[in-house]
């Protein structure tokens, strides 16, 4: 019901394709592509007061499910977008419906193992409210998109070209970007209604962001190549609805993923929402012997029923082939002047193992939005945008490698069962290169199926029984892989919350001790430059601005509508002297600095007079917060010496810190650090003293 309502909202919003005359001729930013990354960027820019025009070639939002796992970091970003995070939390299925992966030969067949990804191997991976102010979520991309669009309108983005105001951001559905020309000082894009050659609009912008997905036409037109592993696997994705399956699973075996190794077929069933009976079956796909049209409704119904060994209703909604790659674009800033910027799948495409694709893309948008806003408002030089590539490309590479590693872990289960996926690939390649050009397709398909069915017989019940020692050895191998956490993982706390920019809009710091903490797979809060500001539950004591009653996390101190840096100090004489320098610097800097005093309950008596008079003198110019629980933020982040001060960027990442006590050179040090972060003083190779 709820989903039907969401989609109705969207089809109403996008009921007509606007005329080209409605499109402005000049605009600061054009975004090509209205997937999750493009729409999120449109929201973030609009909040920061940057006008953008988003064109999406589809006339309506897609119904076919794709991404569904939203990690902690993305939820932290969504949480501050007018309650988007809480809306997702409220609409997603209950945790017990998606915390587990099941490995079986059929749903009522042999269960090889079940893994709980919230409590894997006795760990606890549901972090809220200790390490994060929110939680990971399971919410399908096709349900997220209408909510993102709705959120865009709340942020001031217009979906209605007729009432478009000057300087207002807009989303135009049913428009495609056909070509672009970029030069040193601008980008010129040709837009036209999708599939029509009758009319076109030439739009000039300062920056064009290509969020046009894995097959990015913009990337190709800029001649940017992808680096990595191409075509790891081809799959067919069958979207279906089944009430009976849903009921069966809720009653017997709720979960997010079901890996079914069955003699008739092998597939992963993704339960997108057990309450709505919404599923996707992902199955290996072997073109050209197979093509998408072979997956008729009746064929899909037959295969799904065989797979599950259950007599269930199967309403097939759509069938979509897709190819898994592990590739990163050689660069993210293209063209003369680097004014064409790749984001999301246009910049990187990974195996969905671990759910990093959409999450990484949304985090690209978060990194990019404040930099675009700062440059377009002349608060930073254009070179700041170069740091988008310096920072995000290594993250894309790391997440690609991690996704491949996780994909291989997923493959370890079929391999242990004697279903070697690399063998299947080899057979397919052999057929393509030998009989591929001689035998008719239907016959090739039969040959392929014949060979694969012999392989799949490995998991027939006649084979996998307790009297068969080979089968028993295989089953215990599978159980061992699952118990040791060496199968497909859902959560990567360190990569999710501790990804670190080592170069870019920050003053790097070498610290061996903390680097080694960072290499652990678990999340350990750190306050080194490049990482996201660690969360702690806080209360505002003084100087809160409107809306500060909603501040409950250190991350809430960074407001998505304010283009400002945070300067975080502890409540000591040294910290407050630094804070005074920051207040002074803020008066002369084009980029505002917001001073936050993080008090602990045990203020030093010896400094009480100084602290009191400082607060009186600067009343209203700073924000003072205190830990809501008996927690010490500095200790939480592993900071052992007193007096450390921290500069935080508008995207929550720490730009610089100093552990020096305040002195006569502090103002200059802070000014140099701030200039260096923004790129005003590029030659300055400021290296900060490490903090222990
Ligand atoms: C089976 C599967 C499961 C996945 N699971 C997860 C998961 O759990 N978590 C996760 O984080 N990621 C997951 N992903 C990856 C995720 O779906 C993608 O990373 C995400 O869709 C990328 O978003 P995007 O906005 O960059 O691109 P897209 O979603 O591809 O959007 C690009 C948009 O650009 C439009 N477009 C293209 N060309 C033009 C043009 N010339 N003019 C105008 N518009 C244009 C397209 O129509 C499209 O709407 C999964 C992917 C698959 C296939």
């Amino acid at each position: 019901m709820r989903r039907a309502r969401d989609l109705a909202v969207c089809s109403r919003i996008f009921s007509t394709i606007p005329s080209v005359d409605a499109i402005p001729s000049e605009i600061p930013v054009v975004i090509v592509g209205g997937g999750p990354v493009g729409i999120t960027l449109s929201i973030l820019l609009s909040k920061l007061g940057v006008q953008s025009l988003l064109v999406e070639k589809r006339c309506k939002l897609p119904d076919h499910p794709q991404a569904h796992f939203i990690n902690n970091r993305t939820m932290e970003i969504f949480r501050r977008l007018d309650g988007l995070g809480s809306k997702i939390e409220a609409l997603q299925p209950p945790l017990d419906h998606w915390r587990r992966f099941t490995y079986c030969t059929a749903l009522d067949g042999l269960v090889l193992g079940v893994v709980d990804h919230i409590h894997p191997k006795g760990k606890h991976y549901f972090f809220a409210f200790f390490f994060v102010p929110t939680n990971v979520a399971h919410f399908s991309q096709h349900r997220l998109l209408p909510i993102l669009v709705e959120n865009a309108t709340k942020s001031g983005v217009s979906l209605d070209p007729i009432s478009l105001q000057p300087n207002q951001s807009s989303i135009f559905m049913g428009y495609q970007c056909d070509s672009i020309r970029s030069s040193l000082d601008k980008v010129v894009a040709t837009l036209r209604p999708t599939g029509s050659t009758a009319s076109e609009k030439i739009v000039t912008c300062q920056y064009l962001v290509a969020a046009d997905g894995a097959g990015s036409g913009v990337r190709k037109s800029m001649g940017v190549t992808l680096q990595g592993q191409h075509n790891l696997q081809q799959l067919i994705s069958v979207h279906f609805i089944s009430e009976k399956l849903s009921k069966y699973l809720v009653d017997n075996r709720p979960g997010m993923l079901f890996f079914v190794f069955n003699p008739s077929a092998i597939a992963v069933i993704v339960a997108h929402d057990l309450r709505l009976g919404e599923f996707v079956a992902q199955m290996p796909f072997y073109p050209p012997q197979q093509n998408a049209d072979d997956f008729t409704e009746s064929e899909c119904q037959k295969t799904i029923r065989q797979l599950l060994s259950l007599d269930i209703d199967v309403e097939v909604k759509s069938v979509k082939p897709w190819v898994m790659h592990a590739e990163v674009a050689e660069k993210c800033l293209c063209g003369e002047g680097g004014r064409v910027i790749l984001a999301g799948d246009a910049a990187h495409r990974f195996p969905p193992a671990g759910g990093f694709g959409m999450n990484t893309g949304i985090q690209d948008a978060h990194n990019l939005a404040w930099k675009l806003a700062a440059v377009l408002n002349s608060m930073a030089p254009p070179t700041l945008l170069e740091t988008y590539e310096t920072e995000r490309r290594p993250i894309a590479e790391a997440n690609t490698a991690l996704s491949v590693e996780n994909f291989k872990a997923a493959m370890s289960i079929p391999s242990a069962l004697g279903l070697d996926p690399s063998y299947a690939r080899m057979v397919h390649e052999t057929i393509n290169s030998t009989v591929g050009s001689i035998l008719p397709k239907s016959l090739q398909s039969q040959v392929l199926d014949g060979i694969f069915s012999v392989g799949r017989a490995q998991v027939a019940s006649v084979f996998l029984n307790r009297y068969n020692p080979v089968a028993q050895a295989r089953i215990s191998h599978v159980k061992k892989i699952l118990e040791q956490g060496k199968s497909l993982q859902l959560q990567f706390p360190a990569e999710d919350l501790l990804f670190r920019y080592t170069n870019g809009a920050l003053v790097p710091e070498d610290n061996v001790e903390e680097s080694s903490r960072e290499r652990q797979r678990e999340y350990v809060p750190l306050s080194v430059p490049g990482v996201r500001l660690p969360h702690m539950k806080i209360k505002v004591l003084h100087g809160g601005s409107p809306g500060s009653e909603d501040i409950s996390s250190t991350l809430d101190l960074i407001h998505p509508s304010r283009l400002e840096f945070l300067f975080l100090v502890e409540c000591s004489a040294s910290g407050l002297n630094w804070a005074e320098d920051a207040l002074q610097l803020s008066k002369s800097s084009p980029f505002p600095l917001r001073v936050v005093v993080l008090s602990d309950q045990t203020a030093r008596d010896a400094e009480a007079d100084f602290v009191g008079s400082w607060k009186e003198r600067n009343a209203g110019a700073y924000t003072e917060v205190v830990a809501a629980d008996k927690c010490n933020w500095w200790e939480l982040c592993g900071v052992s010496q007193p007096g450390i001060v921290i500069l935080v960027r508008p995207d929550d990442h720490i730009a610089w810190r100093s552990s020096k006590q305040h002195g006569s050179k502090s103002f200059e040090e802070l000014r140099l650090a701030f200039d260096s972060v923004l790129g005003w003083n590029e030659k300055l190779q400021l290296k900060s003293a490490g903090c222990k």
Side-chain angles (χ1 to χ4, degrees):
M1 268 303 285
R2 207 184 287 128
R3 185 171 134 56
R5 207 167 51 229
D6 288 343
L7 289 180
V9 169
C10 277
S11 52
R12 185 159 38 81
I13 293 168
F14 301 120
S15 54
T16 50
I17 307 295
S19 131
V20 288
D21 301 331
I23 303 180
S25 306
E26 279 195 30
I27 194 127
V29 179
V30 167
I31 303 169
V32 182
V37 176
I39 304 177
T40 304
L41 182 63
S42 162
I43 297 171
L44 295 169
L45 287 177
S46 180
K47 285 202 158 295
L48 292 172
V50 175
Q51 190 191 8
S52 72
L53 160 72
L54 184 156
V55 282
E56 165 53 51
K57 69 178 179 185
R58 296 181 215 245
C59 297
K60 68 188 251 313
L61 298 175
D63 293 342
H64 194 95
Q66 230 170 273
H68 49 94
F69 180 67
I70 309 182
N71 69 14
N72 283 298
R73 183 65 191 130
T74 301
M75 284 299 282
E76 280 181 350
I77 296 168
F78 283 168
R79 179 176 166 272
R80 278 169 287 164
L81 299 178
D82 302 302
L84 177 61
S86 20
K87 185 152 194 182
I88 293 169
E89 277 170 357
L91 292 177
Q92 70 172 339
L95 178 63
D96 273 341
H97 281 194
W98 54 269
R99 59 193 295 162
R100 295 179 191 89
F101 293 177
T102 295
Y103 298 80
C104 57
T105 59
L107 280 186
D108 69 345
L110 176 69
V111 174
L112 301 161
V114 177
V115 180
D116 179 343
H117 288 274
I118 298 299
H119 286 298
K121 291 191 293 163
K123 291 179 187 135
H124 184 79
Y125 277 175
F126 218 46
F127 288 148
F129 300 94
F130 192 67
F131 289 137
V132 273
T134 175
N135 261 323
V136 295
H138 170 53
F139 192 63
S140 301
Q141 187 169 337
H142 67 299
R143 300 188 69 215
L144 172 67
L145 284 176
I147 292 171
L148 280 177
V149 170
E150 193 187 39
N151 190 278
T153 61
K154 279 193 201 164
S155 309
V157 179
S158 168
L159 308 177
D160 178 8
I162 312 292
S163 60
L164 188 63
Q165 301 295 311
N167 302 327
Q168 193 180 9
S169 293
S170 52
I171 294 181
F172 275 62
M173 293 288 287
Y175 266 88
Q176 67 184 50
C177 174
D178 256 12
S179 63
I180 50 176
R181 268 183 298 118
S182 81
S183 57
L184 262 182
D185 59 346
K186 61 178 183 293
V187 184
V188 179
T190 306
L191 312 177
R192 64 174 91 246
T194 305
S196 153
T197 48
S199 53
E200 66 175 31
K201 179 84 181 190
I202 308 290
V203 177
T204 304
C205 59
Q206 297 194 44
Y207 292 96
L208 181 141
V209 180
D212 53 342
S216 174
V218 174
R219 183 188 63 226
K220 287 179 197 150
S221 75
M222 298 308 293
V224 175
T225 55
L226 291 164
Q227 296 169 339
Q229 299 175 62
H230 188 76
N231 188 358
L232 281 170
Q233 200 178 26
Q234 301 207 46
L235 292 122
I236 195 103
S237 156
V238 181
H239 175 205
F240 67 98
I241 304 288
S242 174
E243 265 181 42
K244 277 195 189 162
L245 177 57
S246 207
K247 179 157 180 12
Y248 176 86
L249 291 176
V250 171
D251 292 347
N252 298 282
R253 199 170 293 154
M256 177 197 274
L257 298 187
F258 298 86
F259 296 81
V260 189
F261 305 102
N262 187 281
S264 63
I266 285 169
V268 183
I269 307 285
V270 186
H272 276 266
D273 194 330
L274 283 181
R275 298 162 309 172
L276 303 171
E278 185 158 39
F279 299 92
V280 162
Q282 302 283 8
M283 295 181 272
F285 180 49
Y286 296 102
Q289 289 77 17
Q290 291 180 312
N291 66 62
D293 297 340
D294 300 338
F295 292 80
T296 58
E297 171 145 30
S298 58
E299 269 305 312
C300 292
Q301 286 170 332
K302 193 172 114 199
T303 311
I304 290 165
R305 285 188 186 120
Q306 277 175 344
L307 252 176
L308 305 178
S309 298
L310 290 175
D311 183 20
I312 48 162
D313 55 311
V314 177
E315 183 197 343
V316 176
K317 304 293 279 183
S318 49
V319 174
K320 212 175 137 192
W322 61 282
V323 187
M324 196 188 285
H325 307 284
E327 293 172 311
V328 178
E330 59 178 321
K331 54 183 175 181
C332 306
L333 302 185
C334 341
E336 237 184 317
R339 288 177 179 271
V340 177
I341 303 171
L342 308 181
D345 275 16
H348 41 71
R349 38 194 211 182
F350 338 131
F356 275 100
M358 180 179 75
N359 288 301
T360 307
I362 284 167
Q363 292 155 27
D364 290 345
H366 196 230
N367 182 289
L368 183 58
W370 75 272
K371 294 178 181 172
L372 275 172
V375 171
L376 288 165
N377 284 310
S378 307
M379 291 158 79
T383 48
L384 177 67
L385 282 166
E386 290 167 14
T387 67
Y388 166 71
E389 179 172 302
T390 328
E391 293 178 356
R392 293 304 299 169
R393 215 178 157 277
I395 301 297
E397 281 179 335
N399 287 351
T400 309
L402 187 65
S403 305
V404 171
E405 197 184 301
N406 207 24
F407 170 64
K408 286 187 183 152
M411 291 301 131
S412 66
I413 301 293
S415 296
L417 287 170
L419 302 164
D420 191 345
S422 58
Y423 176 71
R425 191 182 167 100
M426 206 174 67
V427 168
H428 183 224
E429 279 168 5
T430 308
I431 288 189
N432 283 344
S433 61
T434 52
V435 293
S437 55
I438 315 163
L439 287 182
K441 291 253 157 37
S442 57
L443 216 53
Q444 289 178 42
S445 177
Q446 280 174 32
V447 171
L448 201 63
D449 201 44
I451 298 174
F452 287 168
S453 61
V454 172
R456 289 195 301 266
Q458 308 278 334
V459 288
S461 52
V462 285
F463 182 72
L464 282 189
N465 65 55
R466 66 196 163 96
Y467 302 110
N468 187 324
V470 177
Q472 285 312 305
R474 286 179 175 174
I475 291 172
S476 51
H477 188 186
V478 168
K479 293 205 157 120
K480 201 163 155 197
I481 295 172
L482 297 178
E483 273 160 24
Q484 290 177 342
K486 291 188 174 160
S487 58
L488 179 76
Q489 297 303 297
L490 180 66
Q491 296 216 59
F492 294 88
E495 286 79 1
D496 177 351
L497 291 167
L498 200 60
F499 64 87
R500 175 183 181 184
Y501 304 138
T502 49
N503 258 310
L506 51 95
V507 182
E509 199 177 89
D510 297 326
N511 194 311
V512 179
E513 188 193 323
E514 281 175 338
S515 301
S516 66
R517 280 177 84 189
E518 212 176 325
R519 273 196 295 273
Q520 299 167 10
R521 271 278 146 94
E522 302 307 311
Y523 174 63
V524 182
L526 287 181
S527 65
V528 289
V531 301
R532 119 205 188 286
L533 180 76
H535 153 82
M536 182 180 71
K537 259 175 112 175
I538 52 165
K539 278 192 303 216
V540 176
L541 292 186
H542 299 293
S545 44
S548 61
E549 57 284 2
D550 297 336
I551 294 183
S552 61
S553 161
T554 38
L555 291 159
D556 296 335
L557 295 165
I558 301 144
H559 198 275
S561 301
R562 284 202 290 259
L563 199 51
E564 64 185 11
F565 273 66
L566 277 195
F567 190 62
L568 205 64
V569 300
E570 63 168 26
C571 191
S572 64
S574 173
L576 295 179
N577 278 328
W578 272 105
E580 193 131 7
D581 286 350
L583 290 172
Q584 198 191 329
L585 181 61
S586 194
K587 287 184 195 146
S588 57
S589 162
F591 218 119
L593 266 167
R594 181 167 180 217
V595 169
V596 174
V597 179
L598 190 49
S599 296
D600 61 30
Q601 318 271 20
T602 54
R604 273 150 255 178
D605 286 347
E607 296 181 340
D609 288 347
F610 175 87
V611 169
S613 71
W614 188 94
K615 286 184 179 175
E616 212 173 301
R617 204 171 54 248
N618 292 294
Y622 71 99
T623 305
E624 183 177 9
V625 299
V626 69
D629 301 328
K630 284 191 187 111
C631 188
N632 182 314
W633 189 83
W634 310 100
E635 278 171 18
L636 183 83
C637 304
V639 176
S640 49
Q641 81 268 54
I644 187 165
V645 295
I646 293 181
L647 184 66
V648 189
R649 313 189 318 192
D651 64 352
D652 312 337
H653 282 258
I654 294 173
W656 171 78
R657 66 176 184 171
S658 174
S659 57
K660 289 185 197 150
Q661 287 292 303
H662 184 267
S664 57
K665 294 193 178 136
S666 297
F667 179 83
E668 197 50 18
E669 195 184 338
L670 173 61
R671 195 186 62 75
L672 284 176
F674 200 26
D675 281 359
S676 165
V677 167
L678 292 171
W680 289 120
N681 189 352
E682 268 188 276
K683 299 214 173 49
L684 182 80
Q685 288 300 313
L686 189 64
K687 275 230 168 188
S688 184
C691 302
K692 290 196 179 106

